[in-house]
Amino acid sequence: MESLWKLVHLLGPSHIALILTAIAVSYESAFRALNYVKEMERNLDLSEASVTLDRSQALMLPVVSSCSLLMLFYFFSSVSQILTVFIAIASMSSLYFCQFPYIAQIRSRFGLADPFISQFCSNPFTRIQGLLMLLCIVMVIMCLVSGHWILNNLLGISLCIAFVSHILLPNIKICAMLFVCVFVYDIFWVFYSERFFGANVMVSLIPRLASNPVHTVAHSLSLPGLQLITKKVNLPVKIILPRNLLGGVVPGYAADDFIMLGLGDTAIPSMLLALVLCFDHRKSRGSENFSDLPLQKEDISSPKGFKYIWYGLAGYSIGLVTALAAGILTHSPQPALLYFVPSTLGPIIVISWRRKELAELWEGSPPNIDEKTHFAEV
């Protein structure tokens, strides 16, 4: 009974903030993926192509991830600066991808002039796009200079949304294969990797800080203000929040301790949410080609509209709370996908079976997109 009182920590501001942030990111990732699919159908733009996973890719994803984990486990200090540069570039691109629709909406609403500047990768590049790109570059540099957790989270969330929008699932069958693989992957690397490699590979990698290339360059050039640049940075591959989010001290933890959730624990369930959201939207509109159909806010609450997205989001919320509760009770890291996979995939399969829509979800119906967009054959 005494151990159950530990669950009161779930009501702390840091845990509440982490839960709400993860749910909001999953929700936004799914909706951005749906809108991006519709953009591709309208524009048929090769440079903005997405990839739909097939069987082999779904099976290979955990294998490639495992190889990457091992490489980082043994050579992290050697490759951390290169990895930081690579992730910084990806973060800048992802941040631009996430912000551009909002900027375009503002430009359209207020009728702002947006003169053409030049041609970039066969695409017109406008002044507003240039300013947005400059803003994204500045934000990435600020994150590298300060290492602040808010900026780190902003970049990580952008990476998650961009990943879910560009890596699509064609149907529940491929989704189930992927989820089973990552289910085993997460359990092995959190619970059993120590038996084979002498240390818990996943747990030892999560808190590691990477060498900051900005500090290295500033030090080599003897630039002023070197003391203001952090030597080590958290890579934006996880959502992190300080335990003392609102100040004070959390008993049993250091003052600078963080709680964290890996981006994979948000991105993988969000891929399922994006899949069922596209299915919901297509069914609610009664059309296979929905590129010209606007996404209305009232559709969300319509009884004929979004169904499975809410079951998936509720399942993700339950899985997240369960994973955090298990971590508190056991005082040890938990493989979050152990809880997310059954809590998200299970309800959707059961409910679609009861509604006699499982066969349609199982095989899927890919969007009507030109051959310019790369879709792997299932």
Side-chain angles (χ1 to χ4, degrees), residues 161-208:
I161 294 174
F163 175 85
V164 174
S165 298
H166 287 84
I167 308 298
L168 306 175
L169 292 170
N171 50 50
I172 289 292
K173 177 171 64 177
I174 301 301
C175 178
M177 293 174 59
L178 174 65
F179 273 39
V180 169
C181 291
V182 297
F183 180 82
V184 175
Y185 158 89
D186 215 20
I187 292 174
F188 172 79
W189 288 110
V190 174
F191 285 155
Y192 299 104
S193 60
E194 188 171 0
R195 300 183 183 182
F196 296 90
F197 303 102
N200 193 317
V201 175
M202 182 81 77
V203 174
S204 65
L205 277 176
I206 289 176
R208 285 193 189 180

Side-chain angles (χ1 to χ4, degrees), residues 34-270:
L34 171 62
N35 288 326
Y36 185 53
V37 168
K38 295 194 293 182
E39 289 170 20
M40 288 193 298
E41 288 193 356
R42 285 195 298 265
N43 301 330
L44 301 176
D45 190 349
L46 178 62
S47 66
E48 294 291 334
S50 286
V51 175
T52 300
L53 296 182
D54 61 13
R55 286 191 189 92
S56 59
Q57 291 167 334
L59 294 173
M60 284 302 297
L61 186 60
V63 176
V64 173
S65 299
S66 296
C67 294
S68 301
L69 272 180
L70 279 179
M71 184 194 72
L72 292 176
F73 179 67
Y74 288 112
F75 306 109
F76 184 82
S77 58
S78 302
V79 302
S80 65
Q81 292 202 39
I82 298 175
L83 185 63
T84 303
V85 172
F86 175 79
I87 293 180
I89 295 173
S91 300
M92 179 189 65
S93 176
S94 299
L95 194 59
Y96 178 89
F97 172 81
C98 295
Q99 297 302 316
F100 181 73
Y102 300 104
I103 299 299
Q105 187 176 12
I106 294 174
R107 178 190 61 191
S108 176
R109 176 173 297 180
F110 294 98
L112 301 178
D114 191 16
F116 171 82
I117 297 178
S118 65
Q119 199 79 7
F120 181 74
C121 295
S122 302
N123 287 324
F125 195 71
T126 64
R127 183 174 61 188
I128 290 181
Q129 288 176 315
L131 292 175
L132 179 59
M133 180 63 71
L134 180 62
L135 175 63
C136 295
I137 293 173
V138 169
M139 293 188 71
V140 171
I141 293 176
M142 287 174 59
C143 182
L144 290 175
V145 170
S146 67
H148 199 279
W149 61 271
I150 293 180
L151 293 173
N152 182 86
N153 288 347
L154 181 62
L155 299 186
I157 289 169
S158 301
L159 284 170
C160 178
I161 294 174
F163 175 85
V164 174
S165 298
H166 287 84
I167 308 298
L168 306 175
L169 292 170
N171 50 50
I172 289 292
K173 177 171 64 177
I174 301 301
C175 178
M177 293 174 59
L178 174 65
F179 273 39
V180 169
C181 291
V182 297
F183 180 82
V184 175
Y185 158 89
D186 215 20
I187 292 174
F188 172 79
W189 288 110
V190 174
F191 285 155
Y192 299 104
S193 60
E194 188 171 0
R195 300 183 183 182
F196 296 90
F197 303 102
N200 193 317
V201 175
M202 182 81 77
V203 174
S204 65
L205 277 176
I206 289 176
R208 285 193 189 180
L209 300 178
S211 298
N212 191 351
V214 174
H215 184 276
T216 302
V217 171
H219 183 268
S220 62
L221 298 177
S222 300
L223 297 179
L226 180 63
Q227 67 278 7
L228 301 177
I229 303 175
T230 181
K231 293 182 179 180
K232 300 282 187 178
V233 292
N234 263 308
L235 295 178
V237 294
K238 52 186 177 286
I239 298 173
I240 58 176
L241 291 169
R243 291 189 182 273
N244 58 340
L245 185 60
L246 300 181
V249 177
V250 180
Y253 296 97
D256 57 350
D257 198 12
F258 287 85
I259 59 173
M260 56 190 68
L261 181 70
L263 281 192
D265 300 326
T266 303
I268 297 297
S270 296

Side-chain angles (χ1 to χ4, degrees), residues 288-299:
E288 286 297 312
N289 185 0
F290 53 82
S291 60
D292 297 324
L293 298 173
L295 179 61
Q296 303 292 344
K297 290 295 183 181
E298 57 266 22
D299 292 336

